[in-house]
Amino acid sequence: MRARTPEQEVIYFVLPDRFENGDTSNDTGGLKGGKLQTGFDPTDKAFYHGGDLKGLNARLGYIQGLGASAIWVGPIFKNKPVQGPKGNESAGYHGYWITDFTQVDPHFGTNEDFKALVEAAHARGMKVYMDIIVNHTADVIQYKEGVSQGYPYRSKADYPFSTRGGVKGPAINPGFLGETVQTAENWAKLTDPSFAYTPVVPKAEEDVKVPAWLNDPIYYHNRGNTDWKGESAQYGDFVGLDDLATENPRVVDGMIDIYGSWIDRFGIDGFRIDTARHVNAELWRKFVPAMLERAKAKGINNFHIFGEVATGDYDPALLASWTRNAGLPGVLDFAFMRAVDDAAGGAKDGGTETLARLFDDDALYAGGKAGAMQLPTFLGNHDAGRLPMFLKLGQPLASNDELLKRSMLAHAMLLTLRGVPTIYYGDEQGFVGHGGDQWSRQDMFVSKDLRLTDEPLLGTTRAPDAEHFDPEHPLYRLIAQLATLRRQTPALTGGITTVRAASDKPGLFAVSRFDPATGNEVLLAYNTSTEAVAGNLAVEPKSAQFQTLAGSTCPVKATAPGSVTITLPPLGFAVCAAQP
């Protein structure tokens, strides 16, 4: 298992709260009271629904049957159960509002339950990746000023570290040379955190964070809420979430200790890093090598680390900059998502020129095209929304049957093109959703949430509020088939890519990938149009005959040395292995 490199995996991403409820006794997390105290309300998409680690463990066979070899588990750390302004509260069911970085949230179970999950997965030859957060903690710190304005961001220029409450305020923190001088000696001179706002910790929450050093406001930026632009993207609070001063060596060392401990205690196989682009690059250049070293000490030589550099645009330059400037080994491939989703129908023109460009742009990443092989690729997620939702936006008149076929085509691309295919839980059961965030986090188990179950699913007649673990679903079967094929075909896990056909309109898109050891060609052809297509594709002159591996029937022989004629049905695909 641990001999497998990242690009040899197929990842299944799951939010434990929405997957399976294996222990109803922990639904309220051991808390008393109503939903605003316990965070539990299975009828409300903004609150805990009851899924947990025991439930996830019980469904490992279902995930493995899908062809997944690694499980990316949404954050499981103890969270602040409920936060938000009065009348607009929500719960930490998603796991991104951490108070205790050392233990599992009681809504999900215990540390022992997580240990059991990792051991059970490893026994099946499956890896476990943790979703981690370094950028922020739960919203605990409040500010004396700016309540009525909602704590707008206060910049370093207008509110420098050297004065309290603005440039004309009294002098504080004498000798502090700014956050770019990242030495313990310099940061010891920052003793007053009230340069922008005056931080206040409610008495009831003075000791809520673990480890204990996290309770001191001196380790936070305390500049108010980010507006997602410029300086505030790194120094601002995410809608109130306490933004850590990740330039401080004490914070860096503390985060290395926290997450190194999870490697030491549980032998996990990788990290997905939340909000990576909102942390200074210098931290990652220390954190990543420390984690890889910690993993190697446990015999985990292929520890997979990838960061979230979220963007809604096709922007590989942005993604690649974090592999070069911050030293992240990989990032979630939002460019792939945008290119494939648009090609499969998410864009009205349905052209494949952007998708064709993707492989040239791989040269931007650290390690070039080889480095791009370990980028997790995906079609939708818990923040942006699910693939069928994007397809419906691009094809508003499409029937559910057409949307299913488009989804199957996109999954065929996901599982045969370069990168590490990442399946978002429920996509294999035809979940659709009305949008991103809370609207894309449906229950796999029997649901009581009317807002998440008010639309038909793709590829099934099952009621939306029923249980959804059907191994006969057409998407499940397709993903399982192609995931198995991928593992058995070295060209699909590690082969370089040569584009054979692309267009600015829907139609034939094709690439060849090559076995790294033998050089044998695998031709991948996809039809993004609703009409049948036929055309000649360039291939290697030595590729004389072809074997059908998946999809539509491949031509038996090349039409001429260096050319083959391919025919595909509407929204069809073919995987053709050349036989010299």
Side-chain angles (χ1 to χ4, degrees):
M1 174 188 72
R2 284 179 169 160
R4 295 197 306 263
T5 56
E7 59 268 25
Q8 293 177 310
E9 308 296 347
V10 173
I11 301 171
Y12 189 78
F13 169 37
V14 59
L15 292 177
D17 180 63
R18 303 300 165 88
F19 193 67
E20 178 65 295
N21 191 342
D23 184 357
T24 56
S25 70
N26 62 27
D27 286 355
T28 61
L31 301 171
K32 304 294 184 183
K35 64 188 287 185
L36 296 184
Q37 289 73 45
T38 69
F40 177 67
D41 182 355
T43 69
D44 190 331
K45 62 184 175 59
F47 286 76
Y48 285 95
H49 284 189
D52 50 37
L53 294 177
K54 286 183 178 177
L56 180 54
N57 197 341
R59 294 290 186 178
L60 287 179
Y62 167 87
I63 298 172
Q64 190 170 36
L66 184 65
S69 59
I71 307 171
W72 156 14
V73 183
I76 58 168
F77 313 99
K78 186 175 182 180
N79 268 229
K80 187 171 182 175
V82 178
Q83 64 182 46
K86 188 174 182 179
N88 196 31
E89 300 92 345
S90 62
Y93 69 91
H94 43 68
Y96 293 103
W97 300 343
I98 305 173
T99 53
D100 188 340
F101 286 76
T102 68
Q103 68 166 303
V104 168
D105 190 287
H107 291 87
F108 299 148
T110 64
N111 286 12
E112 290 70 29
D113 291 335
F114 184 61
K115 184 172 186 284
L117 171 67
V118 175
E119 290 178 349
H122 285 173
R124 291 174 173 269
M126 304 172 73
K127 297 181 179 179
V128 177
Y129 298 161
M130 295 187 77
D131 198 322
I132 67 169
I133 302 94
V134 171
N135 179 65
H136 58 263
T137 71
D139 182 12
V140 172
I141 298 173
Q142 307 300 310
Y143 305 125
K144 283 185 178 179
E145 311 87 353
V147 177
S148 60
Q149 295 83 32
Y151 305 129
Y153 183 76
R154 292 183 170 180
S155 71
K156 292 188 292 180
D158 293 330
Y159 296 86
F161 293 105
S162 58
T163 59
R164 181 182 295 123
V167 292
K168 295 182 179 180
I172 58 174
N173 302 319
F176 181 63
L177 299 176
E179 79 286 6
T180 59
V181 181
Q182 294 172 6
T183 65
E185 293 77 16
N186 180 51
W187 280 87
K189 297 172 183 176
L190 183 71
T191 58
D192 188 338
S194 59
F195 35 83
Y197 287 97
T198 304
V200 177
V201 178
K203 191 161 187 62
E205 296 181 298
E206 285 180 346
D207 300 311
V208 73
K209 295 180 185 178
V210 180
W213 63 268
L214 288 163
N215 292 299
D216 191 339
I218 203 70
Y219 297 119
Y220 297 83
H221 284 133
N222 302 312
R223 290 190 173 276
N225 287 325
T226 181
D227 60 10
W228 317 106
K229 303 170 187 174
E231 175 189 306
S232 82
Q234 182 174 318
Y235 294 89
D237 297 344
F238 276 38
V239 197
L241 297 172
D242 301 346
D243 198 67
L244 282 157
T246 49
E247 305 83 9
N248 189 327
R250 177 67 183 90
V251 175
V252 177
D253 292 342
M255 286 294 157
I256 288 173
D257 287 344
I258 285 169
Y259 291 116
S261 172
W262 286 90
I263 297 174
D264 293 345
R265 288 183 291 156
F266 299 98
I268 53 171
D269 306 284
F271 288 144
R272 178 268 190 180
I273 304 173
D274 180 65
T275 54
R277 68 178 294 187
H278 302 288
V279 175
N280 57 306
E282 294 86 353
L283 179 139
W284 299 129
R285 289 200 168 275
K286 295 177 182 177
F287 182 88
V288 168
M291 295 300 98
L292 295 177
E293 181 180 347
R294 203 79 164 246
K296 285 181 180 178
K298 288 279 291 185
I300 311 169
N301 294 319
N302 287 305
F303 196 82
H304 194 188
I305 297 177
F306 50 97
E308 178 200 29
V309 180
T311 175
D313 302 321
Y314 177 84
D315 195 351
L318 170 66
L319 303 176
S321 70
W322 285 86
T323 68
R324 291 190 177 275
N325 299 332
L328 291 173
V331 291
L332 286 164
D333 197 348
F334 281 85
F336 181 97
M337 183 196 81
R338 182 79 284 125
V340 171
D341 286 11
D342 286 354
K348 291 181 180 179
D349 61 16
T352 54
E353 287 183 317
T354 301
L355 182 54
R357 175 184 156 189
L358 179 83
F359 308 105
D360 285 334
D361 288 339
D362 283 349
L364 297 169
Y365 294 93
K369 294 191 176 187
M373 294 284 190
Q374 63 173 297
L375 304 180
T377 51
F378 62 102
L379 303 173
N381 65 20
H382 60 317
D383 291 325
R386 295 184 182 274
L387 167 70
M389 182 269 294
F390 293 117
L391 295 177
K392 287 178 72 172
L393 292 175
Q395 308 294 327
L397 301 180
S399 65
N400 270 15
D401 182 62
E402 179 182 328
L403 291 173
L404 173 63
K405 291 177 180 176
R406 290 184 180 278
S407 182
M408 294 177 79
L409 175 63
H411 279 90
M413 292 178 173
L414 176 71
L415 286 151
T416 54
L417 295 174
R418 71 100 180 101
V420 188
T422 303
I423 311 297
Y424 181 40
Y425 87 95
D427 281 2
E428 77 282 2
Q429 294 295 329
F431 286 5
V432 180
H434 296 295
D437 199 73
Q438 295 178 7
W439 292 105
S440 61
R441 301 170 183 178
Q442 296 93 331
D443 298 319
M444 293 284 282
F445 52 94
V446 174
S447 182
K448 299 178 181 179
D449 192 326
L450 298 180
R451 287 179 292 182
L452 295 182
T453 56
D454 66 347
E455 61 181 346
L457 281 66
L458 303 184
T460 181
T461 57
R462 288 194 181 201
D465 60 352
E467 179 182 281
H468 296 287
F469 294 98
D470 180 12
E472 295 303 315
H473 191 286
L475 275 164
Y476 185 101
R477 288 189 282 112
L478 176 73
I479 293 168
Q481 175 198 9
L482 293 179
T484 299
L485 176 63
R486 184 181 184 89
R487 285 197 304 273
Q488 296 171 346
T489 311
L492 300 184
T493 54
I496 62 170
T497 301
T498 297
V499 176
R500 300 300 194 186
S503 172
D504 62 350
K505 296 290 189 294
L508 183 60
F509 176 75
V511 304
S512 290
R513 302 191 67 191
F514 299 88
D515 188 305
T518 66
N520 289 348
E521 181 175 9
V522 175
L523 180 66
L524 307 170
Y526 317 89
N527 179 11
T528 65
S529 77
T530 54
E531 303 291 334
V533 297
N536 295 323
L537 296 173
V539 292
E540 297 302 293
K542 69 176 183 178
S543 297
Q545 301 181 65
F546 292 88
Q547 176 188 0
T548 302
L549 298 184
S552 298
T553 302
C554 298
V556 176
K557 295 182 179 180
T559 310
S563 180
V564 67
T565 302
I566 193 84
T567 301
L568 292 174
L571 302 173
F573 73 95
V575 181
C576 309
Q579 311 294 312

